[in-house]
Amino acid sequence: MKLFIDTGSIKDIAAFAALGILDGVTTNPTLMAKERGDPRQILKEICRIVQGPVSAEVVATDADGMVAEGRELAAIDQHIVVKVPFGKEGIKACRALRADEIRVNVTLVFSATQALLAAKAGASYVSPFIGRLDDIATDGMHLVEEILDIYGNYEFPTEVLVASVRHPIHVVQAARLGADVCTCPPAVLEAIFKHPLTDIGLERFLKDWEKARSAAGTRQ
Ligand code: G3P
């Protein structure tokens, strides 16, 4: 499973990319609005750092506007994947951008039928929003399972990108289901690194090592 980071923060992207665990980045207008500076420059820098797919979302609401904006975004860097919201306009824009060989991520997907249409429109990625479904007492991961089944039945090349991830259990579930990509906010990636037993275990190893060394020192 590919691991993406869900943020527009260059600092966070650089920190996790340095660990060699990042395959790509997803952003959205909410995340980009939190960053200071020219969004195009930020996206360019993100592409330089990660050297993998970087989703950049359009804010136009009509297909022609999405296509024009998508072309501009794609011109920033070869790693840009244009994110369009699901809907009639988004699906139309997806088809047109794919005809230009621009990669497209269809976002705001909350049902298997929406995912089916995104795949039929040639989407490179589809982004089911797991956490937001969980928030309304619906099993978000069940949607991922349904999409993977449907795409498998018809061998759609569209990659299933698990989005709106809230905690490490979502990452485990996505990986067990065989999702293509899981995009995690920095806080979720941080949480994966933390385990009290790992911390306690390391502390004990180091203490035991020091104890043995000082005992050997006093014997000499
Ligand atoms: O990037 C899209 C998605 O991951 C947003 O997540 O936490 O705002 O539901 P969230």
Side-chain angles (χ1 to χ4, degrees):
M1 183 174 73
K2 283 169 257 183
L3 205 54
F4 287 9
I5 190 167
D6 197 25
T7 183
S9 160
I10 288 175
K11 190 169 153 264
D12 287 337
I13 293 165
F16 285 104
L19 303 178
I21 57 161
L22 284 189
D23 299 297
V25 176
T26 48
T27 66
N28 62 38
T30 304
L31 295 172
M32 291 306 289
K34 289 181 189 161
E35 305 305 318
R36 278 217 189 130
D38 173 13
R40 293 174 61 92
Q41 285 308 316
I42 295 173
L43 287 167
K44 200 165 178 51
E45 180 61 4
I46 291 173
C47 290
R48 191 195 62 77
I49 295 168
V50 81
Q51 294 294 310
V54 174
S55 286
E57 191 162 341
V58 299
V59 288
T61 52
D62 64 300
D64 288 345
M66 288 181 197
V67 172
E69 210 184 318
R71 285 183 183 140
E72 276 174 26
L73 288 168
I76 294 174
D77 191 283
Q78 55 165 351
H79 292 107
I80 292 286
V81 174
V82 176
K83 222 173 171 187
V84 301
F86 179 82
K88 287 181 184 164
E89 298 303 304
I91 287 296
K92 227 193 283 177
C94 175
R95 176 65 70 206
L97 289 165
R98 293 298 291 132
D100 282 359
E101 292 185 7
I102 292 172
R103 286 178 297 168
V104 177
N105 176 354
V106 175
T107 190
L108 288 169
V109 165
F110 293 97
S111 78
T113 40
Q114 291 180 334
L116 176 63
L117 296 190
K120 288 182 77 71
S124 319
Y125 300 90
V126 67
S127 293
F129 275 29
I130 301 320
R132 293 193 197 181
L133 281 170
D134 288 356
D135 289 346
I136 56 159
T138 306
D139 183 0
M141 272 305 156
H142 180 65
L143 172 60
V144 173
E145 202 175 346
E146 284 182 326
I147 299 172
L148 286 167
D149 277 352
I150 292 167
Y151 285 8
N153 284 346
Y154 302 103
E155 295 178 3
F156 283 119
T158 307
E159 293 192 46
V160 180
L161 190 161
V162 177
S164 185
V165 163
R166 298 280 160 77
H167 46 68
I169 299 293
H170 277 153
V171 183
V172 174
Q173 291 169 326
R176 291 192 71 184
L177 288 172
D180 301 283
V181 188
C182 186
T183 190
C184 303
V188 172
L189 291 176
E190 279 300 343
I192 293 171
F193 276 95
K194 290 203 176 78
H195 197 294
L197 290 179
T198 304
D199 297 344
I200 292 165
L202 179 61
E203 204 184 313
R204 195 179 300 165
F205 283 154
L206 296 177
K207 257 192 202 148
D208 290 345
W209 178 249
E210 275 314 310
K211 222 193 296 170
R213 276 168 61 94
S214 39
T218 48
R219 275 203 299 273
Q220 272 170 15

